[in-house]
Amino acid sequence: MAACALRRGLLATVNTLNKRQAHRILSIVDNSYGFEVTRPRLQCLACGLPNKTQQKRFMSSRSRPEEKVLEAVGVFEAVKQHGKYETGQLFLHSVFGYRGIVLFPWHARLYDRDVTLPVSDSKPEPPGGAHGSKEVKGKTHTYYQVLIDTRDCPHISQRSQTEAVTFLANHDDSRALYAIPGLDYVSHEDILPYNSTEQVPIQHELFERFLLFNPAKAPPFTARDTLKAWQEKNHPWLELSDVHRETTENIRVTVIPFYMGMREAQNSHVYWWRYCIRLENMGSEVVQLRERHWRIFSLSGTLETVRGRGVVGREPVLSKEQPAFQYSSHVSLQAPSGHMWGTFRIERTDGSHFDVRIPPFSLESNKDDKAPPAGYTF
């Protein structure tokens, strides 16, 4: 019964969270802006008995020179086991602990190499036979475009990039990129929903440009026309279509590629992609990422090998207290499509190493590549 209560309690409802992970999130929040756990009174789906955990309010703190004062922020809601969250849903990220709000959903195809399924509707291996000849069936999975509360960004920057959604700039420099700070993609199971009586519960420069407070709705925030126009105009550069996942020795790697567009450089076409990678330690052993090894195949026939220390200048430690690290990077090809795959070299505390597979993924350009990314324009 205690385990059921924990699963239905909102900081431990997601199956990937255990007691230690739930405490980790609370510790991070307590160190930065403060939390008091709140769990609504819910019925346990597993045993049919009511959850007797008392409901409390979800708290935040504001700093004063002499002390920190807790302030009420909202109340946790039940996690959706079925269906999707609507535009305007407030949430706490179950892995990185930040506050955010849902802008709109994406329906992606998740290719999970840890799941054995029939090979129909599957992704074939890239040229070169990476990871053998296994084929993986895709399954529809919901992700969300979200805004991150800027107050929380400094406290998660060592575990997740807060400027990971990038665009190609609209000028002659074919390599120029710019980012929209505080924009993220979040999987359905990463969302711990809550509600608030505040009309502006999330601090982000785009919040009031994208969302309108409407107390008659649930959740009480609706999309403005500017959000709808921005989504439509930038759809090719924001769209999340494929997600790839694989686990090696309790280290799970998830990859999401995004096409960014094409630019002309030195009388040739250069196609750009960004890819978001999350590493998660699903076990109890403390490990550290030391090296990366990439193979990049282009439709033009070239095969490039890239090796280096760490990722994005870091060598993150993955532990039970801080099990995840997420980052984004970019790749360009002089062809409209290609493949990437590789490994991460992971070090144990005793100095031994093992290689974690990066699931192979396709780099595909959009067929309709007429308009450049609109980015911040409305």
Side-chain angles (χ1 to χ4, degrees):
M1 180 61 193
C4 293
L6 278 173
R7 279 196 297 271
R8 297 296 296 162
L10 282 176
L11 274 182
T13 41
V14 181
N15 290 334
T16 57
L17 289 179
N18 54 31
K19 290 182 181 180
R20 184 185 294 271
Q21 288 172 305
H23 178 72
R24 173 183 58 80
I25 292 176
L26 294 176
S27 297
I28 292 173
V29 178
D30 281 336
N31 289 339
S32 54
Y33 38 79
F35 262 104
E36 183 174 320
V37 182
T38 93
R39 296 190 179 115
R41 197 177 167 85
L42 298 171
Q43 187 179 48
C44 176
L45 295 181
C47 61
L49 297 176
N51 182 339
K52 297 182 180 180
T53 309
Q54 293 297 314
Q55 179 175 348
K56 299 179 183 178
R57 287 177 298 174
F58 161 29
M59 308 293 282
S60 178
S61 69
R62 52 185 171 85
S63 297
R64 290 182 175 178
E66 67 279 5
E67 61 182 353
K68 286 186 176 181
V69 179
L70 285 177
E71 296 177 328
V73 169
V75 177
F76 281 113
E77 299 174 345
V79 170
K80 283 184 180 292
Q81 303 295 333
H82 305 285
K84 61 181 176 61
Y85 296 105
E86 301 297 329
T87 295
Q89 177 64 61
L90 296 166
F91 69 92
L92 176 71
H93 196 292
S94 67
V95 176
F96 298 112
Y98 66 73
R99 290 166 289 180
I101 190 165
V102 170
L103 296 179
F104 46 82
W106 293 108
H107 299 293
R109 298 294 292 174
L110 172 61
Y111 297 93
D112 193 340
R113 301 178 67 85
D114 302 325
V115 178
T116 302
L117 292 170
V119 298
S120 60
D121 188 27
S122 62
K123 286 282 184 178
E125 291 296 327
H131 308 345
S133 58
K134 181 179 179 180
E135 292 186 342
V136 184
K137 181 173 180 175
K139 180 180 180 181
T140 301
H141 195 77
T142 302
Y143 277 73
Y144 301 92
Q145 197 86 64
V146 306
L147 293 180
I148 304 173
D149 195 311
T150 56
R151 293 169 293 185
D152 302 345
C153 288
H155 308 292
I156 65 171
S157 61
Q158 295 301 309
R159 311 303 300 176
S160 178
Q161 292 173 322
T162 57
E163 297 185 359
V165 181
T166 52
F167 294 85
L168 291 176
N170 293 323
H171 54 69
D172 294 337
D173 186 351
S174 64
R175 298 178 61 86
L177 303 173
Y178 69 93
I180 298 182
L183 193 65
D184 199 5
Y185 293 86
V186 176
S187 177
H188 184 86
E189 62 267 21
D190 287 340
I191 286 184
L192 300 176
Y194 73 93
N195 60 62
S196 171
T197 57
E198 295 183 53
Q199 294 190 23
V200 186
I202 299 295
Q203 290 188 14
H204 191 286
E205 62 180 316
L206 296 178
F207 180 87
E208 292 186 90
R209 298 184 72 177
F210 281 171
L211 298 162
L212 177 68
F213 181 69
N214 184 353
K217 301 280 289 184
F221 302 98
T222 56
R224 292 182 183 268
D225 290 341
T226 49
L227 174 58
K228 298 175 183 177
W230 183 80
Q231 178 186 3
E232 181 178 357
K233 197 170 186 179
N234 291 279
H235 185 277
W237 327 108
L238 291 169
E239 183 180 14
L240 187 161
S241 57
D242 291 349
V243 180
H244 305 265
R245 180 182 293 168
E246 184 167 5
T247 303
T248 308
E249 296 195 35
N250 288 322
I251 306 300
R252 185 166 70 185
V253 179
T254 303
V255 184
I256 309 176
F258 300 89
Y259 177 59
M260 299 177 66
M262 181 271 292
R263 291 290 183 270
E264 293 186 10
Q266 298 178 348
N267 298 320
S268 66
H269 291 168
V270 180
Y271 298 83
W272 282 86
W273 292 264
R274 72 177 182 273
Y275 53 92
C276 179
I277 292 186
R278 184 193 293 187
L279 295 99
E280 294 177 86
N281 186 351
M282 314 301 290
S284 58
E285 186 178 20
V286 178
V287 297
Q288 185 170 11
L289 189 157
R290 289 299 192 186
E291 299 175 10
R292 68 189 185 278
H293 176 204
W294 282 106
R295 305 295 298 278
I296 306 169
F297 175 81
S298 170
L299 186 63
S300 64
T302 62
L303 180 61
E304 182 182 1
T305 298
V306 177
R307 295 180 181 270
R309 295 288 298 181
V311 291
V312 292
R314 301 181 187 178
E315 297 180 20
V317 174
L318 305 176
S319 64
K320 291 190 71 172
E321 290 72 27
Q322 293 189 330
F325 180 81
Q326 183 170 293
Y327 75 96
S328 287
S329 192
H330 304 85
V331 62
S332 63
L333 301 176
Q334 291 185 332
S337 64
H339 291 86
M340 290 181 65
W341 67 96
T343 56
F344 292 122
R345 175 62 56 90
I346 304 295
E347 183 179 53
R348 301 184 180 92
T349 53
D350 63 4
S352 62
H353 297 83
F354 62 97
D355 289 334
V356 169
R357 292 184 294 274
I358 304 170
F361 57 97
S362 298
L363 302 172
E364 302 290 347
S365 58
N366 295 348
K367 294 180 180 179
D368 184 10
D369 195 9
K370 297 178 181 178
Y376 251 136
T377 62
F378 296 91

